[in-house]
């Protein structure tokens, strides 16, 4: 152990020690060794063979700690890391020994789809402030996965993609991975000649348990993971250079669509859309992304979700490259920026950067239409305006020190006589290593089109029975304002944790560029949990946790009380089992929909349910998971209490190194008054053949089959709804910016009284992009 110098004689002795002078320096702030990365010039081939002379002079470190699931124990395998830099590129090599190389889990998969494999990688906090870290991981076949870890939100996103090189070779002793990371793909401070970055080198070793092995120990009593990274020093000649990428794109498509329930006539569609994307690293701290005439249609279908007996909007992840790039710069305590609200822009512009203690992000895009969520306290709606809109966001954060950050956020949407402006302030304060406080206060101003509410009525907006909560909340003749605030407190240490949260969105609050589905909604949550750890048995962690929450509207009328508790165990075969129980009292729909009153206008229902979630990866071939929930559930269509069985299962099978079969099945059944109300089934099958690390062929089929019992509904419903969608896709990716896709897709639907599935659309499409790097 290296201790801080406390006296002049000890300081002199340490400074004169040859061993310390060659290998490490002492970090001024964290009392951790600082790894000096040597500067070595010369060509290096990224092929997994470390035969260049630079590797003989590279710095060598070892991964000596199992940080998960165990507490800094000695690893069962040896891993060495070699590293050097040449002013433009960070070169890293991992020599991962394995006593039984046949057990190495490595498959050819698409980028970012190898997180369950054997992996080695590096985390880099290039500003060394414990806020964001770039992650670069590689499996033994050289397949890449990269991500951004955001300590401010606690999230990790593998939607970020960068252009870097890697190669992997499996041998008789394990495997070797060689990596070249261009420094220009990351933001960093260029002002200092010698740069001090935070870093961690990691190996994932999945066998009966998935071991996380690192070069530094983790303190489980420190809630900030990025604050614990070790320091690396060097990069004296590192500059951003031009770092300019011009990416022309071309989209070609041809298809036909029809509505079999009306005219049944086919409408032909042809698409020829050229576009241009620009990525420019203006300085090492600042980057610009721009897009002209982009095609933001999705290449691959979203994962299926059940949307029956659900009163609030469903969330889907953003996949489109322009919006994904540096998306973490816009994150805050609330989800005020949800770019999937922007559907069809002609242009987009984004500027992000970090300079010393200042972090900022700005983006702007138009949209051919305007879609936004209309929030409520018992349900939400989706509004669509035909007018073109202008959309934008501005995010700024000032890091006073490593413990205190203060930020602001502004968003706007404007189209014709509609607008929504949002302004907010937020703070994150790390009171101690275990205690963190987050808070945010937001103000909004909104103007709806005069007759927007008529889109949410029944046959006659003047009749009370034809109104809805969404219609009432959009029946605004003038601009209106609202506020929202939230406070989150967390205490986290090795054996226990505690949380306390307060959320308030008043009736006038809107965040139309974000994903805020609730207004006139106030919630208090108190919860916590306890851990038991074990390093000498078939299980390694047991967790007992739960929380209590109370929700009411602005008038103090109670909407929901809930108490939930869970116990989970994590053990061998990479298994996880969780048992849960929930007891909830909440209101149903309003008897008189023409008023937003709750007391005397709703029924209260007591719901009790139990749930089980289990998953395991017993071998490299198979992964299985199942979630089952059984118990009471409100029938929102008829305002009654029923009995629900919900099951979500997934099986993932690796058929050799190149083929993967994934099947997901969702089943939801609700019985009311001793009879079936509905049964919904969604089957999602995806078969992928990965030719190599760059190209794959994928077949997707999604089948939705919903049966409703007309006799158990209080109004007319369609007894049967079946939809079937299919897609065959070929993808080639030279890198994240140079890509080629070609595919065909088709969809069909069946609703009584039709017999059999009727095709509703079919198409063929191609997308091509090529990156010129300067």
């Amino acid at each position: 152990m290296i201790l801080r110098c406390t006296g002049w004689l000890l300081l002199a002795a340490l400074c004169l020690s040859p061993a310390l002078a060659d290998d490490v320096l002492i970090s001024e702030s964290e009392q951790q060794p600082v790894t000096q990365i040597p500067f070595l010039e010369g060509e290096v081939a990224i092929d997994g063979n470390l035969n260049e002379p630079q590797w003989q002079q590279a710095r060598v470190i070892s991964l000596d700690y199992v940080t998960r699931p165990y507490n800094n124990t000695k690893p069962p395998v040896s891993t060495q890391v070699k590293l050097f830099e040449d002013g433009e590129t960070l070169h890293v090599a991992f020599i991962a020994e394995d006593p039984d190389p046949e057990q190495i889990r490595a498959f050819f998969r698409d980028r970012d789809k190898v997180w369950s494999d054997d992996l080695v990688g590096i985390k880099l906090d290039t500003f060394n402030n414990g806020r964001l870290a770039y992650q670069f991981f590689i499996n033994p076949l050289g397949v890449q996965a990269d991500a951004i870890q955001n300590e401010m939100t606690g999230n990790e996103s593998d939607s970020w993609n960068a252009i870097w090189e890697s190669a992997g070779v499996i041998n008789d002793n394990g495997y070797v991975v060689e990596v070249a990371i261009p420094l220009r793909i990351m933001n960093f401070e260029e002002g200092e000649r010698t740069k001090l970055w935070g870093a961690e080198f990691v190996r994932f070793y999945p066998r009966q348990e998935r071991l996380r092995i690192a070069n530094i120990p983790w303190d489980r009593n420190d809630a900030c993971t990025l604050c614990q990274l070790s320091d690396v020093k060097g990069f004296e000649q590192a500059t951003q250079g031009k770092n300019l990428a011009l990416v022309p794109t071309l989209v070609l498509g041809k298809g036909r669509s029809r509505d079999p329930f009306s005219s049944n006539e086919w409408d032909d569609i042809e698409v020829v859309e050229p576009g241009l994307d620009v990525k420019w690293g203006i300085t090492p701290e600042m980057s610009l992304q721009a897009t002209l005439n982009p095609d933001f249609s999705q290449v691959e279908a979203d994962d299926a979700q059940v949307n029956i007996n659900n009163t609030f909007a469903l969330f889907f992840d953003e996949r489109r490259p322009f919006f994904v790039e540096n998306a973490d710069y816009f994150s805050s305590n609330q989800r005020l920026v949800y770019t999937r609200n922007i559907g069809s822009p002609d242009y987009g512009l984004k500027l992000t950067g970090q300079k010393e203690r200042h972090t900022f992000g700005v983006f702007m895009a138009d949209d051919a239409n305007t879609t936004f969520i209309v929030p409520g306290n018992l349900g939400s709606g989706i509004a669509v305006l035909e007018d073109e809109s202008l959309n934008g966001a501005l995010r700024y954060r000032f890091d006073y020190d490593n413990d205190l950050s203060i930020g602001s956020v502004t968003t706007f949407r404007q189209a014709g006589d509609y607008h929504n402006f949002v302004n907010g302030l937020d703070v994150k304060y790390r009171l101690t290593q275990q205690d963190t406080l987050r808070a945010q206060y937001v103000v909004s101003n909104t103007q709806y089109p005069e007759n927007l509410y008529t889109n949410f009525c029944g046959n006659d907006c003047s009749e009370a029975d034809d109104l809805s909560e969404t219609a009432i909340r959009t029946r605004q003749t003038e601009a209106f304002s609202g506020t929202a605030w939230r406070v989150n407190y967390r205490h986290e240490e090795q054996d226990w944790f505690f949380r306390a949260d307060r959320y308030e969105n008043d009736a006038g609050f809107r965040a139309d560029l974000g994903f805020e589905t609730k207004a006139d909604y106030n919630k208090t949550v108190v919860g916590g949990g306890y851990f038991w750890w074990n390093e000498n048995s078939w299980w390694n962690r047991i967790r007992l946790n739960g929380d209590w929450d109370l929700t009411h509207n602005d008038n103090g009328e109670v909407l929901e009380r809930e108490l939930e508790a869970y116990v989970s165990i994590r053990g061998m075969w990479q298994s996880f089992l969780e048992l849960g129980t929930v007891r909830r009292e909440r209101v149903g729909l309003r008897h008189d929909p023409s008023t937003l009153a709750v007391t005397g206008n709703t029924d209260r229902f007591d719901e009790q349910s139990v749930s089980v979630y289990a998953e395991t990866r017993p071998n490299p071939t198979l992964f299985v998971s199942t979630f089952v929930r059984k118990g009471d559930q409100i029938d929102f269509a008829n305002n009654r209490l029923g009995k629900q069985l919900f099951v979500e299962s997934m099986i993932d099978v690796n058929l050799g190194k190149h083929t993967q079969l994934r099947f997901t099945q969702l089943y939801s059944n609700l019985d009311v008054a001793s009879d079936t109300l509905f049964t919904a089934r969604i089957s999602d099958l995806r078969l992928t053949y990965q030719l190599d690390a760059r190209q794959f062929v994928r077949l997707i089929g999604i089948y939705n089959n919903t049966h409703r019992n007309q006799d158990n509904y209080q109004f007319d419903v369609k007894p049967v709804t079946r939809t079937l969608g299919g897609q065959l896709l070929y993808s080639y990716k030279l890198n994240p910016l140079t890509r080629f896709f070609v595919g065909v897709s088709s969809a069909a639907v069946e609703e009584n009284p039709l017999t059999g599935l009727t095709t509703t659309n079919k198409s063929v499409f191609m997308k091509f992009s090529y990156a010129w790097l300067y």
Side-chain angles (χ1 to χ4, degrees):
M1 178 180 295
I2 300 174
L3 302 176
R4 183 182 296 273
C5 302
T6 56
W8 289 105
L9 293 177
L10 181 57
L11 175 61
L14 288 177
C15 294
L16 293 174
S17 170
L20 289 175
D22 287 342
D23 294 333
V24 295
L25 303 172
I26 299 299
S27 170
E28 293 285 341
S29 58
E30 300 294 337
Q31 300 184 19
Q32 290 183 352
V34 179
T35 301
Q36 180 74 48
I37 298 180
F39 174 83
L40 303 172
E41 294 183 293
E43 293 292 327
V44 175
I46 308 304
D47 53 11
N49 298 309
L50 310 182
N51 46 20
E52 291 85 0
Q54 293 94 317
W55 291 117
Q56 309 309 313
Q57 306 172 55
R59 176 70 63 221
V60 180
I61 62 175
S62 60
L63 309 189
D64 295 329
Y65 304 94
V66 177
T67 60
R68 197 170 59 222
Y70 303 131
N71 190 14
N72 304 321
T73 60
K74 183 179 179 180
V77 289
S78 173
T79 312
Q80 281 193 333
V81 183
K82 294 186 175 184
L83 58 159
F84 68 92
E85 54 99 1
D86 59 13
E88 296 181 352
T89 304
L90 173 63
H91 292 270
V92 186
F94 293 85
I95 304 171
E97 297 183 7
D98 196 303
D100 188 0
E102 292 186 0
Q103 297 301 314
I104 293 174
R105 304 188 181 193
F107 301 94
F108 287 103
R109 294 291 178 262
D110 195 15
R111 185 187 185 93
D112 295 331
K113 305 297 183 183
V114 293
W115 293 108
S116 61
D117 286 10
D118 276 74
L119 290 174
V120 290
I122 178 174
K123 289 184 179 183
L124 288 174
D125 178 1
T126 54
F127 289 92
N128 207 17
N129 60 8
R131 298 298 188 267
L132 289 175
Y134 300 95
Q135 299 188 30
F136 304 90
F137 282 90
I138 315 93
N139 83 352
L141 299 174
V143 181
Q144 299 177 354
D146 46 20
I148 294 286
Q149 181 176 346
N150 189 333
E151 191 71 39
M152 299 293 292
T153 62
N155 297 326
E156 294 184 26
S157 172
D158 61 9
S159 299
W160 176 73
N161 290 304
I163 299 177
W164 48 289
E165 293 185 79
S166 63
V169 176
I170 299 176
N171 55 42
D172 293 339
N173 299 316
Y175 63 93
V176 176
V177 163
E178 187 175 6
V179 185
I181 302 174
L183 301 180
R184 59 181 172 79
I185 67 176
M186 300 176 288
N187 293 333
F188 57 87
E189 290 276 9
E190 192 177 28
E192 294 292 334
R193 182 169 176 82
T194 299
K195 300 164 184 63
L196 190 68
W197 294 355
E200 184 183 26
F201 302 90
V202 181
R203 176 182 181 181
F204 285 101
Y205 183 69
R207 298 300 181 265
Q208 283 201 352
E209 298 169 306
R210 182 172 177 80
L211 303 184
R212 183 186 188 277
I213 306 171
N215 65 307
I216 53 175
W218 268 17
D219 183 358
R220 290 179 177 172
N221 288 316
D222 189 341
C224 178
T225 57
L226 294 187
C227 301
Q228 301 184 52
L229 300 187
S230 61
D231 291 333
V232 295
K233 187 177 183 179
F235 314 107
E236 293 186 2
Q237 300 185 34
T239 59
Q240 191 69 42
K242 293 181 180 179
N243 193 21
L244 176 64
L246 300 178
V247 188
T249 63
L250 178 65
V251 178
L252 302 174
K254 189 171 185 178
R256 308 179 72 192
S257 65
R258 65 176 174 177
D259 183 356
F261 310 110
S262 57
S263 65
N264 205 33
E265 295 292 328
W266 286 102
D267 293 324
D268 293 328
I269 303 171
E270 286 195 29
V271 176
V272 179
E273 290 288 348
L276 177 66
D277 293 335
V278 179
K279 295 166 63 72
W280 179 26
I282 303 172
T283 71
E285 302 90 359
M286 186 184 307
S287 60
L288 173 71
Q289 295 88 42
T291 184
L292 295 174
N293 196 32
D295 176 74
F296 279 159
S297 59
Q298 286 186 220
V299 170
E300 188 171 327
D302 284 310
D303 294 332
Q305 297 188 50
V306 175
N307 193 27
I308 187 171
N309 201 48
N310 180 34
T311 61
F312 289 96
L314 297 178
F315 179 85
F316 292 94
D317 289 327
E318 178 64 88
R319 300 174 184 266
R320 299 169 296 178
F322 171 77
F323 290 119
V324 164
E325 183 78 15
N326 286 350
D328 288 285
Y329 280 76
F330 299 92
S331 61
S332 64
N333 209 12
Q334 291 176 257
R335 197 182 294 273
L336 300 177
V337 178
Y338 178 59
T339 50
R340 283 194 64 147
N341 290 318
I342 304 172
S344 183
D346 292 321
Y347 68 86
L349 185 69
K350 182 187 297 184
L351 181 68
T352 56
Q354 185 169 350
K355 180 67 174 178
E356 296 177 344
R357 294 185 288 178
H358 307 275
T359 302
F360 67 89
V362 181
F363 93 81
M364 184 179 298
D366 72 334
D367 197 355
N369 297 295
T370 308
T371 302
F372 55 87
I373 296 171
V374 180
N377 52 29
L378 298 186
S380 63
I382 303 294
V384 180
L385 307 179
E386 298 299 327
D387 297 327
E388 182 179 357
S389 63
L390 182 64
N391 312 271
L394 169 64
R395 172 71 168 148
Y396 169 76
R397 191 185 77 237
F398 175 73
D399 298 325
Y400 179 78
D401 56 25
N402 287 343
D403 295 324
L404 177 63
S405 296
I406 301 171
S408 67
V409 61
T410 295
T411 71
F412 65 87
R413 307 194 77 186
Q414 193 160 13
D417 54 356
Y418 157 81
H419 73 252
N420 174 247
F421 306 131
V422 174
N423 293 281
L425 296 173
D426 60 278
V427 61
K428 177 183 177 182
Y429 183 44
R430 190 174 179 229
L431 291 81
T432 69
Q433 285 188 341
Q434 295 81 32
D435 300 277
T436 304
L437 181 69
R438 293 181 175 90
Q440 186 165 36
Y441 180 79
V442 185
V443 178
S444 69
N445 182 271
T446 307
Q447 172 72 66
Y448 287 144
E450 184 175 352
N451 295 317
L452 177 62
Y453 74 97
T454 60
N455 297 330
F456 304 101
C457 300
N459 296 322
D460 187 354
C461 286
S462 64
E463 295 292 330
D465 290 343
D466 285 334
L467 292 176
S468 65
E469 179 179 359
T470 305
I472 295 173
R473 296 195 185 278
T474 53
R475 197 168 191 168
Q476 305 277 354
T477 59
E478 298 180 354
F480 60 96
S481 299
T483 61
W485 62 271
R486 59 190 55 200
V487 177
N488 308 101
Y489 168 76
R490 296 287 186 277
H491 177 91
E492 299 174 89
E493 53 183 276
Q494 175 172 305
D495 295 328
W496 65 281
F497 66 93
F498 173 79
R499 59 176 289 213
D501 304 298
R502 176 65 179 179
Y503 309 91
E504 291 200 9
N505 290 7
D506 73 17
F509 176 70
R510 303 290 188 270
D512 292 354
L513 190 60
F515 191 82
E516 289 289 329
T517 62
K518 297 175 181 178
D520 192 8
Y521 186 89
N522 309 283
K523 185 173 183 177
T524 301
V525 183
V526 177
Y530 193 85
F531 296 100
W532 289 268
W533 305 92
N534 183 11
E535 299 181 356
N536 300 301
S537 184
W538 62 270
W539 64 274
N540 50 65
R541 192 198 71 184
I542 294 176
R543 181 182 65 191
L544 177 65
N545 66 288
D547 63 59
W548 170 88
D549 61 70
L550 173 66
T551 305
H552 57 81
N553 64 9
D554 290 351
N555 292 329
E557 298 171 301
V558 174
L559 303 175
E560 178 182 293
R561 292 186 180 93
E562 182 181 79
L563 181 65
E564 54 186 331
Y566 300 90
V567 59
S568 63
I569 186 168
R570 188 174 64 190
M572 63 189 305
W573 301 312
Q574 298 185 50
S575 61
F576 178 81
L577 174 66
E578 181 178 72
L579 306 176
T581 180
V582 177
R583 182 166 185 174
R584 178 189 300 120
E585 175 195 351
R586 62 172 168 168
V587 301
L589 299 184
R590 295 175 174 89
H591 300 309
D592 180 1
S594 65
T595 174
L596 296 178
V598 172
T599 303
N601 195 33
T602 58
D603 295 322
R604 296 188 179 275
F605 298 96
D606 290 322
E607 296 176 324
Q608 296 186 52
S609 64
V610 295
S611 64
V612 178
Y613 175 77
E615 69 173 42
T616 182
R617 194 180 298 272
N619 54 57
T621 301
L622 182 66
F623 172 80
V624 179
S625 70
T626 299
F627 173 78
V628 180
R629 182 177 63 241
K630 183 176 178 59
D632 302 315
Q633 171 70 43
I634 297 176
D635 166 20
F636 287 107
N638 305 283
N639 205 45
R640 304 171 294 181
L641 191 64
K643 296 289 185 181
Q644 184 196 46
L645 174 63
F646 178 84
V647 182
E648 181 176 3
S649 300
M650 187 180 78
I651 182 169
D652 199 340
V653 183
N654 293 314
L655 305 172
K657 294 288 186 183
H658 298 270
T659 305
Q660 180 186 46
L661 175 66
R662 174 168 293 175
F663 179 71
T664 303
Q665 175 79 31
L666 286 81
Y667 173 89
S668 182
N669 177 82
L670 186 62
D671 292 341
V672 183
S674 302
D675 199 1
T676 299
L677 182 70
F678 68 79
T679 301
R681 300 177 179 88
I682 299 179
S683 302
D684 187 326
L685 177 67
R686 304 186 184 220
L687 178 65
T688 304
Y689 182 77
Q690 190 85 29
L691 286 78
D692 52 38
R694 292 179 175 175
Q695 54 184 332
F696 68 79
V697 178
R698 178 171 296 146
L699 176 65
I700 300 175
I702 301 177
Y703 180 59
N704 188 335
N705 185 1
T706 301
H707 289 256
R708 296 176 176 87
N709 181 6
Q710 174 66 78
D711 295 335
N712 208 5
Y713 277 83
Q714 300 172 6
F715 51 89
D716 290 337
V717 295
K718 296 173 181 177
V720 178
T721 301
R722 295 188 180 97
T723 61
L724 176 64
Q727 182 186 75
L728 180 63
L729 175 70
Y730 169 77
S731 168
Y732 179 85
K733 298 180 183 179
L734 182 63
N735 56 55
L737 299 181
T738 300
R739 301 173 295 179
F740 173 73
F741 300 100
V742 62
V744 294
S745 64
S746 181
V749 64
E750 176 188 9
E751 293 184 359
N752 284 7
L754 295 178
T755 57
L757 290 164
T758 301
T759 303
T760 57
N761 63 69
K762 45 191 176 182
S763 63
V764 58
F765 60 90
M766 183 193 78
K767 300 178 72 171
F768 173 77
S769 65
Y770 186 84
W772 271 280
L773 305 178
Y774 300 93

